[in-house]
Amino acid sequence: MDRDAPSNPVVANAPSSSDAGCAPTVFIVDDDISVRESLAELVRISGWRAEAFGSAFEFLERPHASVPSCVVLDLRLPDLSGLELQRRIAAERSEMPVIFLTGHSDVPVAVQAMKAGAIEFFMKPFDDEELLTAIDRALEVSRTRLEHEAGVLALRRRHETLSGREREVMALVATGLLNKQVGFELGISEITVKAHRGRVMRKMKACSLADLIAMAARLSLPTPLGRDRAFI
């Protein structure tokens, strides 16, 4: 790191009572207190919120953030390794990108971390501006992931308002079947299919058939009746 640690560091270890409305948050996980403090101050003066932790388990006890966030993570920690924590984050907090820091040159580990999705891998000492650029990029990735998750959640809530038959019709229509083919599959008339399809479009707020198909894809709806491809 290029600059000296500040004499009055700002390190937030306790989670806020509410993440809503908070600035994007950078989580720092490093067992070196001087690194934690200087990084927290660097993050704070750059306009972001900082929370620092001395171990992986301490970080994992922190509830999920509901704002764009990323983790600046030391490769060597006293409990879990950085790579192990990266795997936990990917499984449990997929909206949160990882930036690695290390004081040890280990090319194979760096390659492994990047293949697992790390935004960047820095050797200590590192350049502040390069780290800030990586953090900015990581927060943008997090923001995009959160927006995607929010969109999928909204779609799921709309999908839950459909009746069982409407869900069947939506799933079959999304495979590319015509109304009469959907009716044949479900044993109902084409007119009934049209009525169900109209209600599906309204409830899902779909503007077009293409829009409805895209929604079904985002929801990863199971293909009904074991169908693996559309037929016309």
Side-chain angles (χ1 to χ4, degrees):
M1 194 166 184
D2 293 337
R3 66 186 71 176
D4 294 332
S7 58
N8 184 28
V10 176
V11 182
N13 285 312
S16 170
S17 58
S18 173
D19 287 313
C22 289
T25 301
V26 179
F27 296 98
I28 301 157
V29 186
D30 197 305
D31 61 345
D32 186 329
I33 188 170
S34 65
V35 172
R36 294 201 305 273
E37 290 178 345
S38 56
L39 279 174
E41 179 66 4
L42 177 65
V43 167
R44 184 192 68 80
I45 63 178
S46 299
W48 300 308
R49 188 165 175 267
E51 291 190 27
F53 305 87
S55 70
F57 289 136
E58 184 182 349
F59 165 74
L60 290 171
E61 289 176 355
R62 202 276 190 201
H64 290 197
S66 58
V67 295
S69 60
C70 68
V71 183
V72 178
L73 175 61
D74 188 22
L75 186 60
R76 298 191 178 186
L77 297 169
D79 41 17
L80 296 179
S81 72
L83 291 178
E84 288 171 327
L85 181 54
Q86 182 188 26
R87 285 191 285 270
R88 290 282 297 272
I89 291 171
E92 302 170 10
R93 313 182 188 207
S94 59
E95 77 287 350
M96 189 180 293
V98 173
I99 297 170
F100 273 106
L101 304 179
T102 182
H104 307 275
S105 178
D106 193 332
V107 175
V109 171
V111 171
Q112 186 177 351
M114 298 301 288
K115 284 184 175 180
I119 293 291
E120 193 56 85
F121 196 101
F122 290 102
M123 289 288 297
K124 300 175 183 177
F126 48 84
D127 180 79
D128 288 354
E129 294 306 318
E130 290 182 359
L131 176 61
L132 292 175
T133 297
I135 289 174
D136 187 58
R137 183 157 55 96
L139 291 174
E140 186 58 35
V141 169
S142 178
R143 182 177 292 105
T144 299
R145 290 176 182 175
L146 286 171
E147 289 173 353
H148 174 77
E149 290 176 5
V152 171
L153 179 59
L155 286 180
R156 284 176 181 161
R157 287 173 175 166
R158 292 180 208 164
H159 189 255
E160 288 170 358
T161 69
L162 303 182
S163 68
R165 180 63 84 190
E166 288 166 353
R167 292 180 189 180
E168 290 176 333
V169 168
M170 177 178 173
L172 286 168
V173 167
T175 67
L177 298 188
L178 302 175
N179 289 338
K180 63 182 179 180
Q181 294 170 328
V182 173
F184 176 79
E185 293 289 348
L186 298 178
I188 58 179
S189 70
E190 184 176 354
I191 293 176
T192 301
V193 172
K194 288 181 179 179
H196 284 308
R197 179 169 165 172
R199 286 192 291 272
V200 168
M201 296 288 286
R202 288 193 297 274
K203 291 182 179 180
M204 293 301 297
K205 299 182 180 180
C207 300
S208 64
L209 176 58
D211 195 17
L212 188 67
I213 292 173
M215 290 177 178
R218 290 184 71 186
L219 290 170
S220 300
L221 296 182
T223 304
L225 307 178
R227 186 179 301 281
D228 59 1
R229 65 180 181 273
F231 67 88
I232 300 300

